[in-house]
Amino acid sequence: MKETVIQFGEGNFLRGFFDWFLDVLNKKGLYDGKAVIVQPRSGGKVAGLNAQGCKYNLYLRGIADGEIKEEHSVIESVSRCVDPYIDFEEYMTLADNKDFRFIVSNTTEAGIEYDETCDFSDKPCKSFPGKLTQLLYRRYENGFGGFIVLPCELIDSNAEKLKECIVKYARQWMLGEDFISWVEKENTFANTLVDRIVTGYPSDETREKHPDDKYLDTAELFHLWVVEGDFENELPLKKAGFNVVWTNDVKPYKKIKVRILNGAHTSMVTGAILSGVETVGECMGDKIVSAFLEKCMNEEILPTIGDNEDSRKFANDVFDRFKNPYIKHRLRSIALNSVSKFSVRVLPTLLEYKDKNRAYPKCLTMSMAYLIYFYKNDTPEDSAEVVEFMKNKSISEILGNTAFWGQDISDLTEIITDYYEKTEKLGAKGAMEWIVTQ
């Protein structure tokens, strides 16, 4: 079977989302192609995946039509994995294969960034866009056509921002206007929106069924992929029965998903961790945490983004998905890179609520106080620079860091400090119980 997809990211999400799509397409005879996974950061999982032939078990579990259901498959859509940090030339030779048509990525919200310290001679560049620019330039030099680029990072206009970074690198590295023209004319950068809770390696008895599979993956049944453009002729996802939307504008879908589903996760996660809760399911079964989440949703998020039939239905579906008995979605997994996630998923709603109501929303503001408290007093997983800044700077300095939030929000200092001190005095759960009654 041909290799037709270059995939940046070996994490649980893409393996439980796009690689599953590709596997089903191949097994239904609707497609003939496999993915090559490129490790976007040093020290990733690709060596282990290669060791088990890039095959792994995937379990999809949840509630469908009122019934609990489980689906199991062996994913065989990945042909091999490449680590550019170990063998840069193996990575670059991907540009020499004309069969590659699609590029898919998920490198977290922080992955699509322009790092001016990257150099064309790096082997490889530190940033994902830098690595991709290196690959595209070799493709261009070969005289081949471009790619359809489908980034799955959860940021607005993900494909447009990725292309902007590539063009910046092309200019910085003086790769020529002809190359820039080729990037813009011969490649299609399609903004996308993804939605599926992928819980990764299970903590329950499922792992006992496959003791040798170190990359066993689990996810919910629900999935959604919204893509700007229509590539059904080349990638017949709708024909295969997937919940895929080809559209001219992903923004309306994205706002609902990011603000409701991801906003619910991120507004709840650090306070719940500090309260001793470990999973999303446990949050829904905890009277205080679930009340906090419901107040965030019903009194602050929905009224701000538009409390209509569609958004209300999506919110209700989200609560049902959070209650999925099969999902042991660990809060510390959700809390990875929480600062960048908060700035995208929660802060816009918080600020829009303030504009509409001339007062900050109590629960969402408390969630920001929890975020700061978590970074100062717990063990957050984030870049060393972010963790150091959050731990050592004052609340005012944190809120004034425009690199974190996109603007100076230090006018929140007084209320955040008050909520932070409430957390110190009452404990996270006590502060949560207090804010729910306000």
Side-chain angles (χ1 to χ4, degrees):
M1 191 173 289
K2 297 184 295 184
E3 294 177 338
T4 60
V5 179
I6 300 171
Q7 175 178 313
F8 288 86
E10 80 281 22
N12 295 324
F13 179 78
L14 283 181
R15 291 190 297 107
F17 189 76
F18 180 79
D19 295 331
W20 171 65
F21 289 167
L22 202 58
D23 189 70
V24 172
L25 286 174
N26 285 331
K27 289 174 179 175
K28 286 189 173 184
L30 297 174
Y31 192 74
D32 180 27
K34 289 194 174 187
V36 174
I37 293 179
V38 176
Q39 184 171 290
R41 303 179 193 84
S42 60
K45 301 176 180 178
V46 300
L49 277 166
N50 276 331
Q52 62 182 52
C54 297
K55 296 181 182 179
Y56 57 93
N57 293 275
L58 175 67
Y59 281 84
L60 306 178
R61 308 178 296 187
I63 298 173
D65 300 324
E67 298 181 4
I68 297 175
K69 295 183 179 180
E70 176 180 278
E71 299 177 3
H72 167 244
S73 58
V74 178
I75 303 301
E76 302 173 294
S77 56
V78 178
S79 62
R80 58 191 168 108
C81 299
V82 175
D83 185 345
Y85 293 88
I86 293 176
D87 192 336
F88 181 67
E89 185 56 27
E90 183 185 12
Y91 164 64
M92 292 297 288
T93 57
L94 298 177
D96 302 336
N97 183 347
K98 288 184 178 180
D99 291 333
F100 283 117
R101 177 61 172 150
F102 294 94
I103 292 177
V104 177
S105 67
N106 189 339
T107 57
T108 78
E109 285 94 329
I112 298 180
E113 61 177 1
Y114 173 71
D115 183 347
E116 64 181 9
T117 66
C118 288
D119 191 85
F120 186 64
S121 62
D122 293 341
K123 295 185 177 182
C125 284
K126 178 183 176 182
S127 77
F128 158 53
K131 292 183 188 70
L132 183 53
T133 305
Q134 291 173 311
L135 190 74
L136 290 176
Y137 189 72
R138 178 139 161 180
R139 184 82 165 189
Y140 160 77
E141 285 192 314
N142 285 333
F144 297 164
F147 302 96
I148 295 171
V149 185
L150 303 169
C152 297
E153 289 82 359
L154 194 63
I155 60 173
D156 291 338
S157 305
N158 46 20
E160 293 173 22
K161 290 182 179 179
L162 178 57
K163 184 168 73 170
E164 287 174 7
C165 290
I166 291 167
V167 172
K168 282 184 179 180
Y169 281 123
R171 296 194 190 283
Q172 176 184 334
W173 298 338
M174 296 183 288
L175 300 180
E177 291 299 320
D178 287 346
F179 170 63
I180 294 173
S181 178
W182 178 88
V183 168
E184 295 178 334
K185 294 179 180 178
E186 296 295 324
N187 297 269
T188 301
F189 291 81
N191 296 321
T192 79
L193 167 69
V194 297
D195 189 359
R196 165 169 271 179
I197 299 172
V198 178
T199 45
Y201 191 80
S203 58
D204 60 20
E205 66 280 358
T206 306
R207 61 184 176 181
E208 298 173 5
K209 300 177 183 178
H210 309 281
D212 297 326
D213 186 355
K214 296 179 180 179
Y215 300 95
L216 171 65
D217 207 359
T218 58
E220 65 176 335
L221 290 167
F222 179 89
H223 67 278
L224 170 67
W225 200 15
V226 183
V227 181
E228 282 188 2
D230 188 344
F231 311 108
E232 180 73 14
N233 288 339
E234 293 192 62
L235 202 64
L237 294 166
K238 290 184 71 67
K239 186 175 182 180
F242 294 116
N243 187 22
V244 171
V245 178
W246 307 114
T247 181
N248 293 325
D249 187 3
V250 77
K251 292 183 182 67
Y253 300 92
K254 188 151 197 164
K255 183 175 181 179
I256 290 176
K257 189 263 182 178
V258 171
R259 301 288 192 91
I260 293 178
L261 173 64
N262 302 109
H265 268 154
T266 302
S267 62
M268 170 182 71
V269 63
T270 52
I273 290 173
L274 292 167
S275 298
V277 185
E278 296 185 357
T279 68
V280 172
E282 290 174 12
C283 287
M284 301 309 293
D286 186 292
K287 182 178 179 180
I288 295 173
V289 177
S290 62
F292 177 79
L293 180 59
E294 287 176 9
K295 187 164 184 174
C296 282
M297 182 69 70
N298 296 326
E299 297 184 23
E300 298 178 1
I301 297 175
L302 285 174
T304 301
I305 69 168
D307 191 352
N308 53 47
E309 184 177 350
D310 289 341
S311 61
R312 176 65 59 177
K313 181 181 183 305
F314 190 82
N316 290 336
D317 288 342
V318 163
F319 281 112
D320 286 342
R321 292 164 67 189
F322 284 2
K323 294 173 185 176
N324 183 340
Y326 283 113
I327 289 184
K328 302 294 187 294
H329 200 170
R330 303 194 69 79
L331 297 179
R332 288 194 180 272
S333 175
I334 297 171
L336 177 68
N337 298 325
S338 278
V339 168
S340 63
K341 287 177 178 176
F342 194 95
S343 70
V344 171
R345 302 174 174 186
V346 182
L347 185 61
T349 306
L350 189 157
L351 297 177
E352 287 173 21
Y353 182 100
K354 169 65 160 46
D355 289 342
K356 286 186 176 183
N357 299 282
R358 298 184 180 181
Y360 283 112
K362 291 182 172 62
C363 288
L364 294 182
T365 304
M366 176 62 86
S367 74
M368 192 165 203
Y370 283 141
L371 174 75
I372 296 172
Y373 193 94
F374 177 73
Y375 272 74
K376 286 187 174 296
N377 298 279
D378 207 282
T379 54
E381 289 189 60
D382 209 320
S383 72
E385 296 83 0
V386 170
V387 171
E388 182 181 3
F389 191 93
M390 295 287 286
K391 281 190 178 298
N392 297 316
K393 298 298 183 179
S394 68
I395 291 174
S396 177
E397 288 172 315
I398 290 169
L399 297 175
N401 189 331
T402 58
F404 284 178
W405 320 116
Q407 58 186 293
D408 184 339
I409 55 172
S410 55
D411 61 316
L412 273 160
T413 299
E414 183 177 351
I415 187 171
I416 293 290
T417 300
D418 180 38
Y419 288 175
Y420 188 100
E421 291 174 351
K422 279 283 194 307
T423 303
E424 284 187 313
K425 180 179 179 180
L426 303 175
K429 203 160 193 178
M432 192 176 291
E433 186 172 17
W434 171 79
I435 201 71
V436 166
T437 63
Q438 298 303 299

